[in-house]
Amino acid sequence: MINEPPDVATCRVDELTPDVDEPLTVGQVAALTGLSTHTLRWYERVGLLEGVARDGSGHRRYTEVDLRRLVLLMRLRATGMPVSEMLRYAELLRADTPTELQRMQLLEAHRDRVLNHIADLHRDLDVINSKITGYRRALSPAVPA
Amino acid sequence: MINEPPDVATCRVDELTPDVDEPLTVGQVAALTGLSTHTLRWYERVGLLEGVARDGSGHRRYTEVDLRRLVLLMRLRATGMPVSEMLRYAELLRADTPTELQRMQLLEAHRDRVLNHIADLHRDLDVINSKITGYRRALSPAVPA
DNA sequence: GTGCCCCTTAGAGTGCACTCGAAGTCAAGG
DNA sequence: CCTTGACTTCGAGTGCACTCTAAGGGGCAC
């Protein structure tokens, strides 16, 4: 894995998604998700989140369906999926033939990669923890805790 | 977390480290660790792994001590520590005052961040898994597995 | 009407962590 | 002697995922 996902500080979308009735502006979605308005527009530009409606002034109006798609995209990014593969998923979503099977397989393959990655992290933590233990031992007179 | 660590395909260093007696060339270390020779030289250039000796021809000779430092650096990178923070650790290593406490605290803070990150990954996987389950349900006549 | 603020687009810029290239050195093999 | 291949340094280039800028529009408060 070459890229690491963004650290989205505040994401209230999980709690707030269900009660959103009116379509939201890009700024409201940004506040809700923790993504920047720049990133939201960029996601649309590159094809990750297509079909966001516009109001009479040409401003984006995000529907609940858009938000749901966005939340999944954020979870995929947060688990390290590269944008190029998220794009493949997005393309499957807007295909005119049924693609549920491919989409499921894409998500399953990703889930398995993430699980392997977590296992790797635990192994790496073992090394780091043993180093910490060594320091604690060396400092034991000074640091009894 | 903004960056994700490299996917080091083959790292035999864990098994082979103990039996290395002779200092190794950069190419041998690259083969052993899975890092590229470019990356190994770059780590030294930026100050991550200082003090690698040279032979009569000016070629690097990595000792077992160098390898041990390198393995820890690789684990830190693999768990998402940015190079800038690895550099802080390296600077503590070559300080002329005792820095064991700071080093331990740095590693502990990192370990805690990684544990939080793993917890986040599990939560993200829950969302992805529920999406997978939805697909599986929708496909259940076609995909009995 | 005039700030003001949020919005629009498309293109350019940024930061990170490598990754590569050019030019040169050195030791061994044929 | 000449080639080959692994090594040296240092500066430049790459890919990813944003992030920012410039130039402009819409609508509301004062």
Side-chain angles (χ1 to χ4, degrees), chain A residues 88-145:
Chain A
R88 289 221 320 112
Y89 182 82
E91 283 160 5
L92 289 174
L93 266 183
R94 61 174 180 272
D96 44 3
T97 56
T99 59
E100 284 78 6
L101 181 59
Q102 288 107 301
R103 281 183 261 162
M104 186 181 78
Q105 288 169 341
L106 186 153
L107 294 184
E108 285 178 333
H110 178 63
R111 178 197 54 194
D112 294 344
R113 278 194 302 272
V114 175
L115 288 173
N116 283 330
H117 177 52
I118 291 173
D120 289 344
L121 288 177
H122 281 298
R123 276 200 301 281
D124 296 335
L125 278 181
D126 286 344
V127 173
I128 294 167
N129 272 324
S130 72
K131 192 77 190 172
I132 291 173
T133 301
Y135 281 130
R136 191 180 303 286
R137 229 184 287 282
L139 291 165
S140 58
V143 181

Side-chain angles (χ1 to χ4, degrees), chain B residues 72-112:
Chain B
L72 180 61
L73 289 176
M74 289 174 68
R75 298 301 164 224
L76 294 177
R77 268 303 292 141
T79 49
M81 184 183 284
V83 167
S84 56
E85 193 175 352
M86 290 163 57
L87 211 41
R88 289 219 322 111
Y89 181 81
E91 283 159 5
L92 289 175
L93 267 184
R94 60 175 180 273
D96 44 5
T97 57
T99 58
E100 284 77 7
L101 181 59
Q102 289 106 301
R103 280 182 261 162
M104 185 181 79
Q105 288 169 342
L106 187 152
L107 294 184
E108 285 177 334
H110 178 63
R111 178 198 53 195
D112 294 345

